[in-house]
Amino acid sequence: MSIRLGDTAPDFTADSTEGTIRFHEWIGDGWAILMSHPKDFTPVCTTELGTVGKIKQEFAKRNAKALAVSVDDVASHKKWVGDIEDTQSAKVNFPILGDEGRKVADAYGMIHPNANDTLTVRSVFFIDPKKKVRAMITYPASTGRNFDEILRVLDSLQLTDQYAVATPANWKQGDDCVIVPSLQDPDEIKKRFPKGFKALRPYLRMTPQPNR
Ligand code: BEZ
């Protein structure tokens, strides 16, 4: 099954290193970052999960929680956690789902058979409080994820949900934004963007980040 932006994230119940997880209930009123990992006891995954542990606070500041999944079982994850904590000087302070039956992997299309027909690719699903899939990023097993980028995407989603802006190339917190093209009424623009804007073209209007 392929998931598209705006779809409701498939709900599931699965065992994890932190007990049984009912996914939608676990998400609650916040955001969830669901990440798939090809396999336990592999080097790149070990560094990724250590990194996720270190940035838990960054997710929390954004009202978000991360959870990981691989097609190994929870007993295997629990053994691997020791290695992650030892080698990465990090706590694995988030759940890793056991998915030996591939229930989650199949529901989210995390196995790409032409890349590998048994292991999941490195998927990232950004799921909002309404349980909608808002962004997805997919990497091959050989490329570890950039977690600065994951936080940046989350920042962009949350900012653009709140204001009539979109974020330009390489945007990061504090940079100028673009006013959405659908907003044309001059009075409305003045009201929404009291700091003003610069029209480089009629369709390309830059404005300071509204909440800064
Ligand atoms: C890794 O996490 O290091 C990895 C997993 C599967 C294939 C290649 C690398």
Side-chain angles (χ1 to χ4, degrees), residues 3-195:
I3 294 184
R4 287 172 289 195
L5 299 189
D7 288 355
T8 298
D11 197 12
F12 56 80
T13 299
D15 196 12
S16 87
T17 50
E18 297 187 356
T20 302
I21 290 201
R22 289 173 190 81
F23 189 45
H24 282 196
E25 193 180 305
W26 183 85
I27 295 172
D29 297 328
W31 290 67
I33 307 296
L34 173 64
M35 292 169 294
S36 56
H37 294 271
K39 202 163 177 43
D40 291 1
F41 300 101
T42 51
V44 177
C45 295
T46 301
T47 63
E48 289 190 319
L49 294 190
T51 303
V52 174
K54 286 180 193 164
I55 63 170
K56 183 175 176 142
Q57 279 315 311
E58 291 301 319
F59 285 125
K61 274 189 219 163
R62 294 160 174 85
N63 191 26
K65 297 187 285 192
L67 82 168
V69 58
S70 86
V71 293
D72 298 293
D73 61 24
V74 169
S76 163
H77 294 338
K78 284 184 173 165
K79 284 188 206 138
W80 182 33
V81 162
D83 286 357
I84 298 169
E85 295 190 338
D86 278 357
T87 62
Q88 306 303 305
S89 308
K91 278 272 163 230
V92 177
N93 44 23
F94 55 90
I96 310 175
L97 301 169
D99 194 35
E100 63 276 27
R102 300 197 200 168
K103 192 169 64 175
V104 178
D106 287 342
Y108 281 82
M110 290 165 167
I111 293 182
H112 295 202
N114 291 328
N116 187 306
D117 58 8
T118 53
L119 306 181
T120 55
V121 292
R122 295 183 198 283
S123 300
V124 189
F125 292 88
F126 297 74
I127 299 164
D128 73 12
K130 292 185 181 141
K131 323 298 184 270
K132 299 290 180 197
V133 174
R134 299 292 304 281
M136 300 180 280
I137 316 180
T138 305
Y139 302 74
S142 51
T143 304
R145 281 163 276 214
N146 182 331
F147 288 88
D148 290 337
E149 172 63 0
I150 290 170
L151 293 172
R152 192 190 76 90
V153 171
L154 194 50
D155 285 342
S156 172
L157 289 167
Q158 294 182 346
L159 179 73
T160 59
D161 273 358
Q162 230 184 324
Y163 298 94
V165 293
T167 57
N170 294 337
W171 173 88
K172 56 186 184 336
Q173 283 284 10
D175 288 352
D176 287 354
C177 301
V178 297
I179 297 175
V180 293
S182 58
L183 190 58
Q184 291 294 333
D185 178 51
D187 291 337
E188 188 67 20
I189 293 174
K190 213 180 265 175
K191 205 166 78 192
R192 286 180 187 244
F193 301 104
K195 293 178 208 151

